[in-house]
Amino acid sequence: MQEQKHKQVTTAPRLRFAPSPTGFQHIGGYRTALFSWLFARHSGGTFILRIEDTDLSRTVEGAVSYLIEGLKWLGLDYDEGPVVGGPYGPYYQTQRKALYQQYAHQLIVSGHAYRCYCTPERLEQMRKEQEAQKLPPRYDRRCRFLTTEERAALEAAGHSWTVRFAMPLEGETIVHDELHGDITFKNADLDDAVILKSDGYPTYHLANVIDDHLMGITHVLRGEEWIASAPRHVQIYQALGWEPPLFYHLPNVLGKDKKKLSKRHNAPSWDTLQKQGYLPEAVFNFLALLGWAYDDKTEIFSREELIRVFTLDRIGVSGGILDPDKLTWMNGVYIRQLPLEELTRRTLPYLERPAAEGGLPDSVPRPLDFEYTQRVLQLEQERLKTLGEAAQMIDFFYVDELHYDTALLIQKQMDAASTRAALERTREILVALDLWEHSALEEPLRALAATLGLKTGQLFGAIRVAISGRTVSPPLFQTMEVLGRQRTLHRLDQAIARLS
RNA sequence: GGCGCAUUCGUCUAGCGGUCUAGGACACCGCCCUCUCAAGGCGGAGAUCACGGGUUCAAAUCCCGUAUGCGCUACCA
C-alpha cells in the first residue's frame, strides 16, 4: 500500500483513451478522453490512444480515422498511439495478439485460468434454464473441474476452446476506486469470464489489463459501466503479480430522456456539432464541465486555464444529462469572443457550402468577398449562436431579389398609402445624402418620422422590411450602410412598387 | 431475478458537520436599454437537499434501511 503511493508521486502519470472502433463515438465518449487528456497535460504526463479492436465482427471500417479526426477537432493530441507510434506499441490490440496468448497460457500454467470446451449452444441452453428457474445466469464452471483424461479426450476430439479466468470461489474482491472509494464484491457472485476467445483474440478483460500494465498506465479513466467487471480485472492483475493502476469510474452522460447516450437518441457526434457550427473550443469547455466543476461560479475556461486547474478529485460521481441549450449558449459566448477577422474566416465555409447543406442560396456566387462578409458579420456577431445558422440570418445581404409578404411592410396604424408615402420620402432623403454611413443616415430619418407624425418604430420598421425582407435585422442604419446606397434605393423602389 | 453505482432548483452544478432562512449557470418570466432582434444590466420564480430512521449540542454533509433511476449480468466493449 505504501509502495503504491510512493510509485504515484514519483512516476509521471500515463493515461489512455481506449475506444473500440465499433461505431461512431458519441460526444460522451470524448468527454472521457478529455478528462484523461486534461489530467495528462495538467500533470506533465502522457496521453495515449489505444485501439481496442479485438472484436473483429463489430469493427467498423473507417471508425479509427473518424475517431482520430474527432480528437484532433477537439484539440486532444496524443503522445503515443496509431500513426504517431511510441515506445509501447503497437497500439492496436489486434496487433498484440501473441502477447495476450502468451499471458493466457501463463495463467493456465499457474492455475488461474483454464480451457473451456463448452459450445455456444450449451452455454445458451444453460442460460435459458437458469433464467427459467429465476437463477442468475452464470457459467457453471463445468470445464474448470475436468479431469486430465477428460481434458485430453476433448482435446483429441478437436473441440475448439476458450480460456476462462478461474475466479476464487470464496472470499471478496475489493475494487478501490478513487472516486467511489472501496467497492466490495463477493467472489461467489462473479463467474469465470472468458478471457481468450476461440478465435484466439482476447476479450476486453484480458487485453485491457495486459496493455494497461505493459504500457505503464497509472490512471484508468473509463465509464462506470465497467465497475461491474472491475473485480475481475483486479483478480487478473493479482494473478499476474501486477499492481493495478488507479481506477476512476466516470458517471455516464445521459440524454434528455435520462437514458445513456447513444447515437440514435440525442447524442451528437463531433461532426454533427461541427456541421451545425459549434466551435470546438466551446465544445471542449462544455464537455469539461460535464461531471466536473472547478468552483461554484466559473464556467468559461480557456484551454490553458482548464489544463492549469483540472484535477481528478473534482470529478463528480452522479451522472448528468447533456443540456443542448447550455452548449448553444456557451457557443454564443465563444463566438462573441472571436476577433472579427477570425470569425469571418471560420464562418465563410459555412456560408459557401451548398444551400442544401445550410449555405447561402446557390444563386449567390462563390467565393464570397471577404471584406464584405466581414462587415456583414460584424453586425451579426452578437446575434450568432452557431456558425451554421449564419447563412439564413444574413442571406438578404447577398441575394438580388427579396421574397417577402408585402403585408409585412405595413406597420401598425398604417396602411399601404401612408407606407408608400413614407418610403418615397425616405428615398428622396437618401438620394440627396452626401455621406453614406450609418451616423449620417440616422438623423434625417428620425426627422422624417417626426415630420410625418410617425413613431420611429413605424418608419424604421417599414424600411427594415423593405431593405431586408424581414422584421428582424441588425440595427437599421448599419445594415443600410453595409448594404450600400444603390442596393438600398433599389429595394426601396421595389417596396414602393409593391404598394402601388 | 442477482450484483453494483447513483440521488441538491426543469437541467448542469457549488457544498466535503456549524458560515445554508442552500450559492452560481442554462432555460423561463418581468423591468431597464432600444428602430426590430440580440447582447448587456437589474430583478423574479424555481430545491421541504428522494423518503424513513439513527449518530451528534448541531446533518444537504456521517451511518443504516426503503424507493427510484442507471449500469452490468455475452466467446461486445
Side-chain angles (χ1 to χ4, degrees):
Chain A
M1 208 59 215
Q2 292 303 87
E3 263 184 67
Q4 187 184 345
K5 283 200 173 125
H6 185 251
K7 182 180 165 192
Q8 279 319 308
V9 292
T10 54
T11 317
R14 287 175 59 81
L15 295 95
R16 101 279 117 130
F17 178 49
S20 58
T22 54
F24 293 109
Q25 188 76 237
H26 61 65
I27 212 69
Y30 282 104
R31 188 203 52 165
T32 308
L34 174 64
F35 282 8
S36 293
W37 181 89
L38 276 173
F39 185 65
R41 294 298 171 252
H42 171 82
S43 61
T46 306
F47 180 60
I48 297 146
L49 176 63
R50 182 175 73 223
I51 306 299
E52 309 219 327
D53 56 352
T54 55
D55 187 353
L56 271 30
S57 66
R58 294 208 312 154
T59 294
V60 171
E61 176 98 28
V64 172
S65 51
Y66 172 81
L67 207 123
I68 293 175
E69 274 178 63
L71 291 173
K72 201 176 289 179
W73 186 67
L74 280 171
L76 306 182
D77 57 313
Y78 53 89
D79 307 301
E80 299 172 22
V83 187
V84 304
Y88 297 86
Y91 294 91
Y92 285 87
Q93 289 188 329
T94 43
Q95 294 172 25
R96 303 167 65 84
K97 191 177 180 184
L99 215 46
Y100 308 124
Q101 293 181 340
Q102 175 197 321
Y103 283 106
H105 179 71
Q106 181 183 320
L107 285 170
I108 292 174
V109 171
S110 66
H112 292 288
Y114 59 92
R115 286 187 180 183
C116 171
Y117 304 91
C118 295
T119 62
E121 293 71 34
R122 181 180 114 75
L123 295 173
E124 179 59 27
Q125 198 198 331
M126 182 184 66
R127 225 170 278 135
K128 273 199 188 120
E129 282 166 16
Q130 287 167 333
E131 236 164 274
Q133 294 173 59
K134 300 246 176 183
L135 289 168
R138 262 203 287 268
Y139 178 57
D140 62 2
R141 298 188 160 116
R142 196 223 290 229
C143 295
R144 179 161 172 176
F145 303 109
L146 255 24
T147 64
T148 325
E149 293 74 34
E150 287 170 326
R151 212 169 276 284
L154 286 160
E155 237 16 271
H159 280 87
S160 71
W161 44 268
T162 62
V163 176
R164 285 182 186 271
F165 184 76
M167 279 296 286
L169 272 8
E170 303 174 338
E172 300 180 326
T173 300
I174 296 172
V175 174
H176 184 72
D177 180 282
E178 299 299 314
L179 264 19
H180 297 275
D182 287 340
I183 307 170
T184 306
F185 295 84
K186 286 193 200 55
N187 291 150
D189 290 331
L190 276 8
D191 68 354
D192 293 352
V194 170
I195 55 174
L196 198 75
K197 298 179 273 187
S198 57
D199 64 3
Y201 283 98
T203 60
Y204 175 93
H205 310 300
L206 214 222
N208 192 266
V209 166
I210 290 175
D211 288 346
D212 281 345
H213 178 260
L214 260 29
M215 294 182 178
I217 302 302
T218 56
H219 301 64
V220 168
L221 274 60
R222 61 185 0 175
E224 66 182 356
E225 67 269 22
W226 291 110
I227 291 178
S229 40
R232 272 201 269 274
H233 305 154
V234 333
Q235 283 294 340
I236 296 175
Y237 276 107
Q238 232 163 73
L240 257 10
W242 296 341
E243 181 96 10
L246 264 23
F247 290 114
Y248 295 76
H249 288 97
L250 271 31
N252 283 135
V253 181
L254 281 9
K256 264 262 191 277
D257 49 5
K258 296 202 172 201
K259 295 256 168 61
K260 196 179 161 187
L261 230 46
S262 79
K263 221 206 165 194
R264 257 193 260 95
H265 275 84
N266 24 24
S269 54
W270 71 267
D271 63 316
T272 307
L273 293 174
Q274 182 195 42
K275 286 196 187 83
Q276 291 175 155
Y278 286 91
L279 307 180
E281 58 268 44
V283 176
F284 183 98
N285 190 155
F286 179 77
L287 246 30
L289 255 28
L290 228 124
W292 179 89
Y294 175 63
D295 58 17
D296 61 346
K297 46 180 74 75
T298 320
E299 303 236 82
I300 304 297
F301 293 90
S302 70
R303 170 176 303 254
E304 291 67 33
E305 283 166 342
L306 229 23
I307 289 172
R308 190 164 51 78
V309 303
F310 185 85
T311 52
L312 262 17
D313 59 324
R314 295 199 61 83
I315 297 175
V317 290
S318 58
I321 296 168
L322 186 145
D323 181 2
D325 284 342
K326 189 149 186 176
L327 204 212
T328 302
W329 163 77
M330 191 171 280
N331 202 54
V333 171
Y334 273 85
I335 286 177
R336 273 171 253 137
Q337 284 178 356
L338 246 32
L340 217 210
E341 192 271 335
E342 187 184 344
L343 172 69
T344 309
R345 191 161 38 74
R346 293 174 70 169
T347 308
L348 238 24
Y350 288 92
L351 300 174
E352 289 175 343
R353 85 240 269 222
E357 289 170 26
L360 289 170
D362 297 326
S363 59
V364 178
R366 275 76 159 166
L368 267 25
D369 182 77
F370 190 93
E371 288 304 319
Y372 180 69
T373 301
Q374 179 158 301
R375 294 175 70 205
V376 170
L377 288 177
Q378 182 168 29
L379 302 185
E380 296 284 8
Q381 182 162 22
E382 69 185 24
R383 273 158 265 266
L384 276 180
K385 294 276 197 304
T386 63
L387 265 25
E389 69 184 4
Q392 53 97 7
M393 288 173 71
I394 66 174
D395 57 1
F396 71 89
F397 280 104
Y398 296 86
V399 297
D400 291 328
E401 290 299 319
L402 257 28
H403 303 283
Y404 60 91
D405 180 357
T406 303
L408 291 178
L409 284 166
I410 299 164
Q411 305 297 300
K412 280 200 183 90
Q413 279 135 41
M414 292 184 75
D415 54 25
S418 59
T419 302
R420 183 184 161 171
L423 292 179
E424 281 171 344
R425 293 290 296 278
T426 300
R427 192 187 194 287
E428 287 168 22
I429 289 171
L430 296 183
V431 172
L433 234 43
D434 292 329
L435 196 58
W436 189 264
E437 61 179 39
H438 66 91
S439 54
L441 291 161
E442 183 158 359
E443 213 36 60
L445 290 180
R446 279 189 185 282
L448 173 63
T451 309
L452 296 175
L454 294 174
K455 287 182 180 154
T456 49
Q458 291 175 298
L459 209 219
F460 297 173
I463 300 174
R464 183 189 317 284
V465 174
I467 64 165
S468 70
R470 56 184 73 192
T471 55
V472 170
S473 82
L476 184 62
F477 308 110
Q478 299 184 48
T479 302
M480 289 166 74
E481 178 184 329
V482 171
L483 224 34
R485 187 188 321 241
Q486 199 194 334
R487 246 189 309 191
T488 301
L489 294 177
H490 178 62
R491 289 181 182 184
L492 282 174
D493 287 338
Q494 289 182 313
I496 290 165
R498 279 169 178 260
L499 293 165
S500 299

